[in-house]
Amino acid sequence: MSGLRRSERIVRLTQTLLEQPYRLISLTDMAEKLNSAKSSLSEDLAIIREVLLKEGIGTLETQAGAAGGVRYIPGVPDQQVSDFLREMSRLLADPDRILPGGYLYVSDILGRPDVLDKAGRIFAHIFSMSGADYVLTVETKGIPLAVSAARYLHLPTVVVRRDHRVTEGSAVSINYVSGSRRIQTMSLSRRSLPERSRVLIIDDFMKAGGTAKAMCDLMKEFKAEVVGVGVFMSTSEPTNKMLEDYVALTVLSHVDEITREIRVEPGTFKISQKGEL
Amino acid sequence: MSGLRRSERIVRLTQTLLEQPYRLISLTDMAEKLNSAKSSLSEDLAIIREVLLKEGIGTLETQAGAAGGVRYIPGVPDQQVSDFLREMSRLLADPDRILPGGYLYVSDILGRPDVLDKAGRIFAHIFSMSGADYVLTVETKGIPLAVSAARYLHLPTVVVRRDHRVTEGSAVSINYVSGSRRIQTMSLSRRSLPERSRVLIIDDFMKAGGTAKAMCDLMKEFKAEVVGVGVFMSTSEPTNKMLEDYVALTVLSHVDEITREIRVEPGTFKISQKGEL
């Protein structure tokens, strides 16, 4: 019977922790809920931590003290990261994706629940030490990725709008020149981001970096610090982007509308252990 | 030692199942990965299922046969649903949310990871028997909710655009009259949705239902069937909405810009067991 009880506790603990990444779970509360001694829970948590570490799928972080507890820090094994990036590169390089003007159709990929989940998890892993308070994106196609990364970092998502909406209250707007050389506007509601926040920017695509640079400029208006920039796909050209520090999961190096050739490679980046890339 | 091994297996199985809702996990693959007999796994799964059912957080569904396996169907206990709806109603009724024109500021709530996760889970629970193939939403504020529901249903998210973008390929556009009585356009890329799909519509807000109705009309162009409509908040007025069958998590019955009074109540709906609301 005691074996069974341990098994049940482990299901509950694993479920509670894994479904709430980065959220501090009070051991006292859990002991009460599971009607168990804290010492038993500590043994259970040691088993869970060991399995997570061995599989490379994260770890448990314990915080001592009265307000203490344990939280799940999600990880992704290096092999899974490289497998995923190779698979995405392969999918993106399908000639059927080429649209008039040399654009690539990617909305289907960025709508897939497994892709969003894995990409979000990888972004969360890469930026786990960034100290971000918010995940920032700009409408529209980056939103699902941002939400997924924010889920695994347990951070709020803030969405910059292309136009100013009455349902957002007073906003700060800036103009910028996009990749297509048009003057565009982006705006963010004043109340959506407290001043001096630490912000992680997640978006679907980067070419010259005009949009990401504009988001960085917009952040200055909020006295916010940009602690990381991650995109699903960047282009290799221009090599000289408008911002230097960013992580691209995949890199598009060639699209030819006539020959219907596409080349996409996995991005090269280090997964930070100390908040530096 | 055998007790420890069972514990480890249970952590791995719980993690694999719970992090991939609705995805069929092959028992043969799992037995190989965990280097265990299928009979041991069956015992482990029985324990996991029992805990999930007891806690009301879902169940495991077993599919027999060569292509068989087990999948996690997420659930939410009734008490958690009503607690969440009451908490959301309380948050939404904060007078500080009133914007000029009587609009409510809700972007902060719809960006919170815990809110998105729980709301998505509740939508997935409500529409678990809908047989949807896709979750559909319209940019911008409904996207995070749709992505979260789609995660728990393991379905792709499809985003209707307010304007037609070159990066989406050829599209179907329709005009409609919005709540503000302006003529608006929405468009959806042809390739984003196969014909004859079954579609679950998720959005943040519904007043007269013009936008949701327009999405239903747009779906006719794709020969798609709308199998459910869920919104985070609806208004009690007009009582006569442009569509009848929808689920609203919360209902706004009163906003007064002068007296700064707001009333929001939890929505009333049945959680379907048979795909009917």
Side-chain angles (χ1 to χ4, degrees):
Chain A
M1 279 310 283
S2 129
L4 186 66
R5 282 212 207 99
R6 159 143 294 166
S7 303
E8 289 179 345
R9 282 201 314 262
I10 285 187
V11 176
R12 285 297 309 280
L13 284 169
T14 306
Q15 180 256 335
T16 303
L17 288 161
L18 267 59
E19 292 204 330
Q20 303 176 90
Y22 278 95
R23 201 147 9 149
L24 194 68
I25 309 294
S26 151
L27 265 193
T28 311
D29 289 358
M30 277 316 286
E32 208 168 293
K33 263 191 196 166
L34 302 182
N35 195 21
S36 309
K38 274 197 196 183
S39 56
S40 310
L41 293 195
S42 296
E43 288 167 35
D44 302 339
L45 291 170
I47 295 167
I48 297 172
R49 182 188 287 110
E50 198 188 300
V51 175
L52 295 176
L53 286 172
K54 199 166 75 185
E55 300 298 322
I57 47 183
T59 188
L60 299 184
E61 200 181 82
T62 310
Q63 275 181 32
V70 59
R71 53 184 198 158
Y72 167 50
I73 314 289
V76 198
D78 291 349
Q79 187 61 48
Q80 270 189 36
V81 175
S82 54
D83 287 352
F84 177 75
L85 300 192
R86 239 179 300 123
E87 169 69 1
M88 290 301 107
S89 302
R90 194 186 62 74
L91 281 178
L92 289 164
D94 178 350
D96 285 346
R97 299 196 169 277
I98 302 179
L99 296 171
Y103 292 97
L104 280 197
Y105 180 76
V106 294
S107 298
D108 59 332
I109 298 179
L110 294 181
R112 274 174 51 177
D114 55 332
V115 170
L116 290 175
D117 200 70
K118 189 58 74 73
R121 212 177 158 116
I122 291 173
F123 281 133
H125 190 41
I126 294 171
F127 296 109
S128 66
M129 306 298 279
S130 66
D133 310 314
Y134 289 86
V135 174
L136 188 81
T137 192
V138 61
E139 59 183 344
T140 298
K141 276 157 68 183
I143 300 174
L145 284 170
V147 166
S148 185
R151 176 184 188 275
Y152 279 111
L153 289 164
H154 193 54
L155 295 177
T157 307
V158 172
V159 179
V160 174
R161 307 296 295 253
R162 298 280 184 186
D163 53 1
H164 176 56
R165 295 286 173 140
V166 287
T167 56
E168 301 274 322
S170 70
V172 179
S173 294
I174 61 165
N175 293 317
Y176 68 104
V177 179
S178 76
S180 48
R181 291 177 189 277
R182 280 190 305 157
I183 291 184
Q184 304 220 28
T185 303
M186 56 169 66
S187 84
L188 183 60
S189 146
R190 266 282 168 220
R191 56 199 288 172
S192 65
L193 192 68
E195 289 208 339
R196 292 174 217 289
S197 298
R198 293 167 63 88
V199 163
L200 169 62
I201 293 176
I202 297 289
D203 209 355
D204 59 322
F205 183 70
M206 182 188 297
K207 194 170 182 182
T211 304
K213 174 66 165 48
M215 289 169 85
C216 292
D217 289 344
L218 182 60
M219 286 302 94
K220 283 178 200 154
E221 300 289 327
F222 286 80
K223 298 188 173 59
E225 185 187 350
V226 175
V227 295
V229 177
V231 297
F232 187 73
M233 181 165 71
S234 73
T235 53
S236 57
E237 300 286 340
T239 48
N240 224 344
K241 308 251 191 255
M242 290 172 79
L243 75 177
E244 280 180 15
D245 286 340
Y246 66 93
V247 167
L249 300 189
T250 58
V251 180
L252 174 68
S253 58
H254 184 75
V255 190
D256 190 317
E257 223 185 317
I258 313 291
T259 64
R260 298 179 69 74
E261 272 179 293
I262 312 179
R263 273 199 303 277
V264 183
E265 287 106 34
T268 50
F269 50 86
K270 277 185 291 190
I271 288 179
S272 153
Q273 297 305 321
K274 289 186 194 68
E276 293 154 334
L277 291 164
Chain B
M1 278 310 280
S2 127
L4 186 65
R5 282 210 208 99
R6 158 141 296 166
S7 303
E8 288 179 347
R9 283 200 315 264
I10 285 188
V11 175
R12 284 297 307 282
L13 285 168
T14 306
Q15 180 256 335
T16 303
L17 289 160
L18 267 58
E19 291 204 332
Q20 303 176 91
Y22 279 95
R23 200 142 17 144
L24 194 68
I25 309 294
S26 150
L27 265 193
T28 312
D29 289 358
M30 276 316 286
E32 207 168 293
K33 263 192 195 163
L34 301 182
N35 195 21
S36 309
K38 274 198 198 181
S39 57
S40 308
L41 292 195
S42 295
E43 287 168 35
D44 301 339
L45 291 170
I47 295 169
I48 298 174
R49 181 187 287 112
E50 196 187 301
V51 175
L52 295 176
L53 285 173
K54 200 166 74 182
E55 299 300 322
I57 47 185
T59 187
L60 300 184
E61 202 181 80
T62 309
Q63 276 181 31
V70 60
R71 53 185 198 157
Y72 166 51
I73 314 290
V76 197
D78 291 349
Q79 186 61 48
Q80 270 189 36
V81 175
S82 54
D83 287 353
F84 177 75
L85 301 191
R86 238 179 299 125
E87 170 68 1
M88 291 301 108
S89 302
R90 194 187 61 76
L91 281 177
L92 289 164
D94 177 349
D96 285 346
R97 301 198 167 275
I98 303 179
L99 296 170
Y103 292 98
L104 280 198
Y105 180 77
V106 295
S107 298
D108 58 331
I109 296 179
L110 294 180
R112 275 175 49 178
D114 55 331
V115 170
L116 290 175
D117 199 71
K118 189 58 73 74
R121 214 181 156 112
I122 292 172
F123 280 132
H125 189 41
I126 294 171
F127 295 109
S128 66
M129 306 299 281
S130 67
D133 311 312
Y134 290 85
V135 174
L136 188 82
T137 191
V138 61
E139 58 183 347
T140 299
K141 275 157 71 183
I143 300 174
L145 283 170
V147 166
S148 186
R151 177 184 188 275
Y152 279 111
L153 289 165
H154 193 55
L155 295 177
T157 307
V158 172
V159 179
V160 175
R161 307 294 296 251
R162 298 280 184 186
D163 52 2
H164 176 58
R165 294 285 172 142
V166 286
T167 56
E168 302 273 323
S170 70
V172 180
S173 294
I174 61 165
N175 293 316
Y176 68 102
V177 179
S178 75
S180 49
R181 290 176 190 279
R182 280 189 305 157
I183 292 186
Q184 305 219 28
T185 303
M186 56 169 69
S187 85
L188 183 60
S189 150
R190 266 282 170 218
R191 58 199 286 171
S192 63
L193 193 68
E195 289 208 338
R196 293 175 217 289
S197 298
R198 293 167 62 87
V199 163
L200 169 62
I201 294 176
I202 298 290
D203 208 354
D204 59 322
F205 183 70
M206 181 188 297
K207 195 172 179 177
T211 303
K213 174 67 167 47
M215 290 169 86
C216 292
D217 289 343
L218 182 61
M219 286 302 94
K220 284 179 199 152
E221 299 289 328
F222 287 79
K223 299 187 173 56
E225 184 187 351
V226 175
V227 296
V229 177
V231 297
F232 187 73
M233 180 164 71
S234 72
T235 52
S236 57
E237 300 287 337
T239 48
N240 225 343
K241 308 253 191 254
M242 290 171 78
L243 75 179
E244 278 181 15
D245 284 340
Y246 65 92
V247 167
L249 299 188
T250 57
V251 180
L252 174 68
S253 57
H254 183 75
V255 190
D256 190 318
E257 224 185 315
I258 313 291
T259 63
R260 299 179 68 74
E261 271 178 295
I262 311 180
R263 272 197 304 276
V264 183
E265 288 106 34
T268 49
F269 50 86
K270 275 185 290 191
I271 289 181
S272 153
Q273 297 303 321
K274 288 187 195 68
E276 294 155 330
L277 291 164

